[in-house]
Amino acid sequence: ITLIHTHTTTNNTTMVLAELGGKLRSSLQKLQSNNDSDALTTESLNALLSEISRALIESDVNVQLVMTLRTNIQKKVGELVANNSNASSANANINRMVQRTVLDELTNMLTPNSSGDNTNNNGKKVTKPYNMKRGKPNVILFVGLQGAGKTTSIAKYAHYYQRRGWKTAMVCADTFRAGAFDQLKQ
């Protein structure tokens, strides 16, 4: 088993993620500030979805994924928004439902699914865990932001497989942090 250790520490990546988070938060906060005022309309929902879509695309999210996200949100809350009355309590509930739907769809977009026919109790497709193969190299890549715990996880992962008779190797592929090699040695 080869475990590859790499950090994503560049300012550009951090800036893109922070900027995306800020844009998404800003879009969703408009719904909160809108709770007691005007009813959410189909036009304002489309404007909100356009903002979210633009933010995702500007952050290099696959356009097809963004369009699927937008379509799923419209299917789930579009009719509800179109039939919205001007009652203040109804507006607040609809706005919260739209927020929840956006967050659920963003989460679904990041949840892996499988092309196989494995399904859980809810009928959703699930990804089978990777099965390690003896006698063949098994390369596992750990990628994440600085301080996320990759090195610790790699050491635990390698120790787990060593105790079960596997040969393991940990490779430091961090080009920005010279101390990564020393940390792996510990």
Side-chain angles (χ1 to χ4, degrees):
I1 301 170
T2 304
L3 305 174
I4 300 175
H5 178 261
T6 178
H7 282 279
T8 305
T9 58
T10 61
N11 288 338
N12 191 28
T13 302
T14 305
M15 285 174 37
V16 168
L17 290 174
E19 190 176 317
L20 173 60
K23 287 178 181 178
L24 293 175
R25 195 175 306 108
S26 171
S27 295
L28 292 175
Q29 282 175 342
K30 289 177 186 174
L31 285 174
Q32 282 181 320
S33 63
N34 194 27
N35 272 346
D36 297 325
S37 60
D38 298 333
L40 186 65
T41 64
T42 303
E43 292 79 23
S44 56
L45 176 64
N46 286 334
L48 172 75
L49 293 176
S50 291
E51 274 184 49
I52 291 169
S53 299
R54 189 175 313 109
L56 291 168
I57 291 170
E58 286 173 357
S59 298
D60 291 332
V61 175
N62 181 304
V63 175
Q64 188 65 41
L65 282 175
V66 174
M67 298 315 296
T68 301
L69 173 115
R70 185 178 179 138
T71 302
N72 289 346
I73 294 169
Q74 283 177 326
K75 282 180 186 175
K76 289 181 180 179
V77 295
E79 189 174 326
L80 189 63
V81 169
N83 297 332
N84 187 13
S85 68
N86 282 331
S88 180
S89 61
N91 291 343
N93 287 337
I94 289 173
N95 289 351
R96 279 194 293 274
M97 182 177 266
V98 170
Q99 278 183 310
R100 180 80 257 155
T101 303
V102 169
L103 293 175
D104 288 347
E105 286 302 315
L106 285 168
T107 303
N108 288 342
M109 185 168 62
L110 297 172
T111 303
N113 59 16
S114 173
S115 59
D117 37 349
N118 299 329
T119 56
N120 63 11
N121 294 340
N122 300 331
K124 288 190 173 184
K125 291 182 180 178
V126 293
T127 302
K128 283 193 229 176
Y130 176 73
N131 289 322
M132 305 292 275
K133 295 171 185 72
R134 288 202 180 265
K136 291 187 171 191
N138 294 279
V139 179
I140 301 161
L141 176 67
F142 287 72
V143 180
L145 296 175
Q146 186 174 12
K150 292 173 300 303
T151 303
T152 304
S153 297
I154 289 168
K156 289 177 180 179
Y157 203 83
H159 184 67
Y160 174 86
Y161 279 100
Q162 279 179 336
R163 286 183 310 190
R164 282 154 181 76
W166 292 78
K167 293 180 183 176
T168 63
M170 295 183 285
V171 177
C172 176
D174 190 339
T175 58
F176 294 102
R177 197 171 65 94
F181 177 75
D182 296 330
Q183 188 179 3
L184 277 177
K185 284 194 321 187
Q186 293 176 354

